[in-house]
Amino acid sequence: MKDHQRQSSDRISSLPDDIIEKILAFIPIRDALRTSILSKKWRYCWTGMQKLVFDDRLINVSSDMGVVKKYKLVITIFHVLLLHKGPISELYIHISDEEIVNEIDQIILHLSRSKNIKKFIFEVYRYDEYYKLPCSFFSLHGLEHLSLKYCVIEIPSMFNGFSMLKSLIFYEVDINATMLQRFLISCPLLEEFTWIGRYVTDFIGDNKCTFVDLFKCLPSVQVVNISRFYNKDFYAGGMSQKLPTPLVYLRILVLQVCFHKLDEISSTLCVINSSPNLEKIKFKMLGYVRQTFNMSLLDSQDYPGLNLDHLRELEITSFHNYAPEMEFVKLIMAKSPLLKKARIELDNSISVDIEVKMLQDLVLQPFPRASTSAKFIIERPKKLPVKAN
């Protein structure tokens, strides 16, 4: 039996280093730290791992041992970083211990000396307030992909931008309007931008950042996903039909849109009309129409220059069948000669009777479509499976 174990261990030890590195790439760091039980040769192989994940599962300590858990987690993270050799290309930090803030500052300070980090996913959850990023964070100049969650962002005066950044996700971040624009302008290669939730502060006077102002900061963007942008002035100032500079690289536009304000729909149309190479539009409709809507705003004849010659997919969810929503669908379909699919998912509030009437109206009163081959699909939202107790 011992001979068999020794032979198995020898087989593992004899694996080439490049094979060992590929195997470790699929193993979380918490497990890689224990690989010495497989072979002595593996004991410090983890020190060359290019992808590191630090989360609450890094250590095995009961959740009710607060102080012990905190310091064991900190010691383990510093142990990994101090013994690590070679570049760290991907770093994931997901920590929910709100008492570890000062230590996180030190961890980021240590990491800021590295110019090799390409991808950084960062989330530190605190119950009472968000985590404020330290100045050292802005020295990670090699970043190409960045995701921040539950953070306060105050850009230091010496910040020169993330010149290599291509993908940016802000999830419930706290940042004022001026700094948001400065941040985006300082990322000249940015291709993908996602904003989810949270107010942008300081929307006063010259500090306003409207929907149109935001896109002015994204000249090279290819994919935009904006959800739950709550500021009341965000959609102000979008009445012009086009931006000063067209968004020639924008291919995918994902928005949550509420059609009860003229400014909101006009700003949305302004961006669409400025994006000649759009391939996909996906909107989630919010709210309801509270005021008389000027239907001429969505008249296709008022947009002679709107040519969505590359649009292949239109998707709208939470569709309430309000007149402005349907007129918007008609406008897009009238301007998209290569459209392959238009999918409408009805809101849960839509009754079967309303759905039937909507289908009858579409059959009896067909509207112009630039693409005769486009599939027009109307369906109800799929019900999520109910979990058994």
Side-chain angles (χ1 to χ4, degrees), residues 23-40:
I23 294 173
L24 287 176
F26 294 96
I27 300 177
I29 185 63
R30 64 179 182 275
D31 296 329
L33 291 171
R34 307 183 184 102
T35 53
S36 60
I37 63 174
L38 297 176
S39 167
K40 290 183 179 180

Side-chain angles (χ1 to χ4, degrees), residues 188-205:
L189 300 183
L190 195 63
E191 298 175 355
E192 298 183 15
F193 176 61
T194 297
W195 173 282
I196 300 177
R198 196 68 181 169
Y199 286 89
V200 172
T201 55
D202 280 359
F203 266 77
I204 302 173

